[in-house]
Amino acid sequence: MAKSISSVGVIGAGQMGAGIAQVAAQAGRDAVIFDVAEVALEKAKSGIARRLDRAIEKEQISTADKSAIEGRLSYTTKLADLGGSDFVVEAIVENPEVKEKLFQDLAPHLSKDAILASNTSSISITRLAKASDRPERFIGMHFMNPVPVMELVEIIRGLQTSDETYQVTKELAENMGKKTVLAIDGPGFIVNRILCPMINEAIYLLQEGVQPDDIDQAMMLGTNHPMGPLTLADFVGLDTLLSILELFHRELGEDKYRPCPLLRKYVEAGWYGKKAGKGFYTY
Ligand code: CAA
Ligand code: NAD
């Protein structure tokens, strides 16, 4: 039996971090959410309240359950408040240098035995582990968006990740109601290695003149995908998607991973997708 986790820290209160904190609290863990932006914390809090209200409406939880879940969640802009967490999941912007700097700043505050997991979509876990003070207690724990709905968590072991760290992470993910797969520590792991080139190809088709709705309808009606690739790109975030594809192109070194120039233009314009109110569609 691996060590039990009673409190989870989440770094980054964006679309992923808010969802991870919610499922941790629903699984009975205390969850502290840290972000540098106060407004992100407020948005996370109201988003969680809205989703719990929806669960009450659908008679999945009671009003008392909602209060108990909200009572287990706390929000902070101070890294030191993560000191009481047994397990910390990082879900900040998809940029290796920014993540490495965060792990260095975090080190003095973390408890000695705490496990540190990254929700990165594509960056090497071995590389991020090296920037932490605990490579054997560092792991990739890749949730899918939207976290409360999607069943999968990919687990990625870095070169130095210990067996115990893997076991604790797998048990925690299962306890949050997720199924896990073990991926390799290579660009994009499993899901994004397959998904992101497909989305990139859809953006090339758009650049070549196919209408967005025709692209999305084709994949929804033709392959039973729940969302078309351009809608999914907006949902993931075009800034995140571009970072993933740039990393693929750089590290896998093949032209087939070249990010579509139109994607780069949209990111330059600040059209990051749903979270920004505009991407391939307007929200
Ligand atoms: N957060 C939380 N819950 C959400 C949500 C969100 N952002 N969006 C939808 N939901 C919930 C809804 O509340 C609803 O739950 P209830 O039935 O309990 O109310 C349920 O999901 C279904 O929602 P809808 O009926 O409104 O819409 P839908 O049937 O079209 O489903 C969807 C929405 C689940 C998002 C579906 O469109 C879907 O599966 N899309 C594909 C998602 C996907 O591929 N995700 C992986 C992205 S890649 C990734 O995450 C990895 C990476 O690193 C980039
Ligand atoms: P997001 O843009 O919604 O949120 C990122 C949050 O991180 C923001 O609230 C921002 O204020 C905060 N932040 C930025 N720098 C910070 C720092 N130094 N310290 C603390 N907080 C900081 O992004 P997201 O979509 O939630 O993605 C977060 C991570 O999860 C990325 O690594 C991404 O690749 C990964 N991921 C994303 C998806 C997806 O579909 N969007 C799916 C799986 C994994």
Side-chain angles (χ1 to χ4, degrees):
M1 170 78 185
K3 113 182 166 124
S4 70
I5 301 297
S6 60
S7 65
V8 174
V10 179
I11 306 183
Q15 22 182 20
M16 297 306 289
I20 295 166
Q22 180 187 334
V23 295
Q26 282 178 321
R29 305 312 194 279
D30 290 326
V32 185
I33 315 178
F34 164 87
D35 201 291
V36 285
E38 190 81 54
V39 53
L41 294 170
E42 281 158 21
K43 206 169 151 201
K45 192 172 183 176
S46 58
I48 292 172
R50 205 175 49 245
R51 291 197 290 273
L52 294 176
D53 282 337
R54 171 87 183 127
I56 294 173
E57 260 172 48
K58 296 191 78 184
E59 299 185 354
Q60 290 162 342
I61 64 169
S62 66
T63 322
D65 292 333
K66 180 188 176 204
S67 306
I69 293 164
E70 289 184 324
R72 287 194 285 274
L73 287 160
S74 57
Y75 300 82
T76 184
T77 52
K78 295 192 198 78
L79 267 183
D81 291 340
L82 296 167
S85 303
D86 311 309
F87 193 106
V88 173
V89 187
E90 169 276 315
I92 67 167
V93 55
E94 185 72 351
N95 176 315
E97 284 86 21
V98 180
K99 287 190 196 282
E100 283 171 339
K101 163 87 170 57
L102 168 81
F103 295 137
Q104 281 149 16
D105 295 345
L106 180 66
H109 304 291
L110 268 195
S111 103
K112 189 171 71 52
D113 296 328
I115 290 176
L116 185 52
S118 175
N119 183 51
T120 175
S121 298
S122 57
I123 303 165
S124 159
I125 297 303
T126 303
R127 170 181 175 169
L128 294 178
K130 181 160 185 296
S132 80
D133 59 341
R134 56 195 70 211
E136 62 301 328
R137 268 171 284 109
F138 193 100
I139 194 159
M141 188 183 199
H142 186 216
F143 289 85
M144 302 294 131
N145 186 13
V147 178
V149 179
M150 305 300 282
E151 273 193 279
L152 180 71
V153 172
E154 289 181 315
I155 300 185
I156 307 100
R157 296 183 65 153
L159 208 55
Q160 302 179 70
T161 306
S162 71
D163 290 343
E164 198 202 354
T165 299
Y166 170 64
Q167 276 314 324
V168 171
T169 306
K170 186 169 154 60
E171 277 177 28
L172 181 63
E174 286 167 358
N175 209 267
M176 289 172 165
K178 305 299 180 193
K179 296 200 169 76
T180 66
V181 294
L182 179 61
I184 48 153
D185 188 17
F189 317 126
I190 299 171
V191 169
N192 285 332
R193 176 74 180 269
I194 300 169
L195 181 69
C196 296
M198 184 202 73
I199 296 178
N200 197 36
E201 218 48 51
I203 304 170
Y204 272 111
L205 279 177
L206 178 68
Q207 187 177 267
E208 287 162 25
V210 186
Q211 290 304 306
D213 215 42
D214 289 325
I215 296 172
D216 278 353
Q217 288 292 324
M219 291 306 284
M220 288 169 71
L221 302 177
T223 65
N224 264 2
H225 286 194
M227 280 175 170
L230 299 176
T231 304
L232 186 54
D234 276 355
F235 187 64
V236 163
L238 302 191
D239 52 338
T240 302
L241 181 65
L242 179 61
S243 300
I244 297 170
L245 286 163
E246 281 174 335
L247 184 139
F248 283 12
H249 194 211
R250 203 168 50 240
E251 299 208 353
L252 297 165
E254 290 188 48
D255 281 352
K256 68 176 177 178
Y257 298 111
R258 187 166 69 97
C260 179
L262 188 63
L263 171 64
R264 202 177 287 286
K265 273 274 168 293
Y266 273 54
V267 172
E268 283 168 357
W271 294 347
Y272 292 167
K274 198 169 174 204
K275 66 185 171 188
K278 167 125 186 74
F280 295 115
Y281 298 94
T282 302
Y283 300 87

